[in-house]
């Protein structure tokens, strides 16, 4: 085992016995939602995974240790600290580990640590991507590069239109990352089920997801797979309304000179405020929906 990695007792036991485990990220807790909804959601997500037959492994860096499986206390700690915790992507890990510091893991770093621990399925809300205007800023999330190199299946609700969805799909195609629509031919846009962009393939069952991932791995093709699972109809938002909030948030970010790693957390927070919390309610529901699918898929992979 990697000398910097700590696997919790519960997660280690499940892995040893060949039982399904689902990884969860912690930037969504510290930077993706406000306290206390962030902690409540993180614990509800873990519960949902258990109810669907798998073991949750929330991932973070605590005191310089890579953690696969957090206690309730550790989740509460990260949630309360919020944006005071370092948002940790691939480039941040060396310094955090060497200095013994804390970090909330993004999709990229959660994939790295999940892979070190031997966890193959990871559920979250949204992934990073190519930002609008990236042809000038070059702001492309390290999440995409991680999907190209690290063997973890990431189950998300598609990508928000804070990103350039078309360029994000092009980037993933270049990097050889399969983008799967779960029960849909259309890329879901996080808060809504439709985006106007097509996914590469539609798959309809957890077994099909598991078979596809297995085939990719057994052929020796490096990298992960992105599963986009549309938000349930009853929780999806009105297109016009959410897109107006997103456009406004992007304009505000520009005016304030927000850039780099602050961009995504700023936009998420601004959108939540502009929609009077409705987007947060949708966000929570889509994460629970992804957790359910991830648990079923991890179970299928174990069979
Ligand atoms: N998108 C969301 N919610 C999130 C994030 C993205 O809808 O919480 C977080 C995830 O942790 C993702 C990260 O990995 O933001 C991407 O940040 P960046 O664009 O700086 O790579
Ligand atoms: Mn960025």
């Amino acid at each position: 085992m990697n000398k910097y990695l700590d696997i919790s007792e519960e997660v280690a036991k499940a892995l040893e016995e060949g039982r399904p485990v689902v990884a969860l990220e912690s930037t969504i807790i510290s930077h993706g939602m406000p306290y206390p909804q962030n902690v409540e959601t993180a614990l509800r997500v873990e519960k949902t995974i258990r109810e669907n037959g798998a073991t949750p492994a929330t991932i973070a860096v605590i005191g310089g240790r890579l953690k696969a499986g957090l206690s309730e206390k550790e989740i509460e700690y990260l949630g309360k600290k919020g944006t005071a915790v370092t948002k940790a992507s691939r480039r941040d890990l060396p310094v955090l580990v060497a200095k013994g510091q804390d970090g909330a893991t993004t999709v990229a770093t959660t994939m790295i640590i999940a892979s070190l621990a031997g966890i193959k399925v990871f559920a979250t809300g949204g992934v990073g991507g190519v930002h609008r205007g990236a042809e000038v800023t070059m702001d492309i999330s390290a999440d995409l590069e991680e999907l190209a190199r690290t063997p973890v299946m990431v189950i998300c609700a598609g990508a928000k239109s804070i990103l350039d969805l078309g360029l994000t799909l092009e980037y993933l195609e270049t990097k050889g990352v399969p983008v799967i629509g779960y029960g849909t031919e259309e890329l879901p846009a996080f808060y809504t089920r439709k985006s106007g962009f097509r996914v590469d393939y539609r798959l309809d069952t957890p077994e099909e997801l598991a078979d596809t991932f297995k085939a990719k791995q057994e052929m020796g093709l490096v990298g992960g797979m992105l599963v986009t699972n549309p938000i349930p109809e009853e929780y999806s938002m009105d297109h016009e309304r959410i897109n107006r909030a997103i456009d406004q948030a992007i304009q505000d970010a520009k005016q304030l000179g927000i850039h780099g790693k602050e961009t995504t957390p700023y936009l998420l927070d601004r959108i939540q405020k502009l929609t009077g919390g409705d987007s947060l309610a949708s966000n929570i529901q889509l994460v629970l929906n992804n957790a359910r699918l991830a648990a079923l898929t991890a179970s299928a992979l174990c069979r």
Side-chain angles (χ1 to χ4, degrees):
M1 196 169 93
N2 190 285
K3 72 176 195 179
Y4 297 109
L5 177 66
D6 292 333
I7 305 182
S8 74
E9 220 170 284
E10 186 195 8
V11 172
K13 189 147 184 281
L15 289 168
E16 255 168 48
E17 294 172 4
R19 287 187 284 114
V21 177
V22 173
L24 299 162
E25 61 154 309
S26 45
T27 292
I28 190 175
I29 304 174
S30 60
H31 291 67
M33 291 182 190
Y35 181 81
Q37 287 96 330
N38 56 357
V39 172
E40 283 162 23
T41 304
L43 298 176
R44 261 177 93 184
V45 167
E46 289 209 338
K47 185 159 170 267
T48 301
I49 287 172
R50 287 199 176 91
E51 285 167 356
N52 286 277
T55 300
T58 301
I59 287 178
V61 183
I62 294 184
R65 301 292 301 170
L66 311 179
K67 298 273 185 194
L70 297 187
S71 65
E72 225 176 288
K73 241 177 147 172
E74 289 168 321
I75 289 176
E76 174 80 25
Y77 167 76
L78 289 176
K80 258 197 179 141
K81 257 186 115 179
T83 52
V85 182
T86 302
K87 174 183 160 192
S89 198
R90 175 178 271 268
R91 59 101 187 258
D92 303 288
L93 283 184
V95 173
L96 294 177
V97 166
K99 286 191 174 285
Q101 292 174 349
D102 299 332
T105 52
T106 62
V107 168
T109 26
T110 303
M111 289 177 77
I112 295 171
I113 296 170
S115 174
L116 287 174
I119 303 168
K120 303 202 174 312
V121 180
F122 164 18
T124 187
V127 287
V130 180
H131 278 267
R132 291 202 214 164
E135 62 276 17
V136 174
T137 62
M138 285 181 71
D139 190 351
I140 299 173
S141 175
D143 292 353
L144 299 185
E145 205 55 43
E146 210 58 52
L147 281 161
R149 65 200 285 183
T150 301
V152 173
M153 184 192 319
V154 179
I155 301 185
C156 70
K160 286 195 181 71
S161 40
I162 59 171
L163 302 173
D164 186 318
L165 301 185
L167 291 186
T168 301
L169 290 173
E170 291 293 346
Y171 195 98
L172 290 167
E173 181 193 356
T174 302
K175 294 291 181 171
V177 179
V179 179
I180 309 296
Y182 188 69
T184 180
E185 281 96 35
E186 186 164 349
L187 177 75
F190 198 85
Y191 300 114
T192 57
R193 296 171 64 86
K194 301 219 170 296
S195 67
F197 291 92
R198 293 181 70 83
V199 290
D200 305 335
Y201 293 96
R202 168 183 175 156
L203 297 177
D204 292 300
T205 62
E207 287 72 26
E208 286 181 343
L209 297 177
D211 290 345
T212 306
F213 187 67
K214 217 179 255 173
K216 185 175 184 207
Q217 290 228 275
E218 288 175 355
M219 283 186 282
L221 299 176
V222 295
M225 179 168 125
L226 187 64
V227 177
T228 63
N229 185 28
I231 183 171
E233 189 75 61
E234 63 266 41
Y235 302 115
S236 74
M237 295 188 71
D238 177 66
H239 278 255
E240 288 272 314
R241 180 157 174 252
I242 190 64
N243 287 330
R244 232 181 298 125
I246 289 172
D247 288 340
Q248 178 71 51
I250 289 176
Q251 213 178 308
D252 295 347
K254 218 180 214 166
Q255 219 143 52
L256 291 169
I258 308 279
H259 66 276
K261 69 192 286 191
E262 270 81 50
T263 302
T264 301
Y266 174 82
L267 294 174
L268 298 178
D269 178 62
R270 193 76 192 112
I271 292 165
Q272 275 161 23
K273 289 189 173 123
L274 287 166
T275 59
D278 288 357
S279 70
L280 178 58
S282 293
N283 199 343
I284 292 169
Q285 290 302 328
L286 65 83
V287 176
L288 293 170
N289 188 48
N290 296 340
R292 216 169 293 125
L293 179 59
L296 300 177
T297 304
S299 303
L301 255 182
C302 284
R303 281 196 283 273

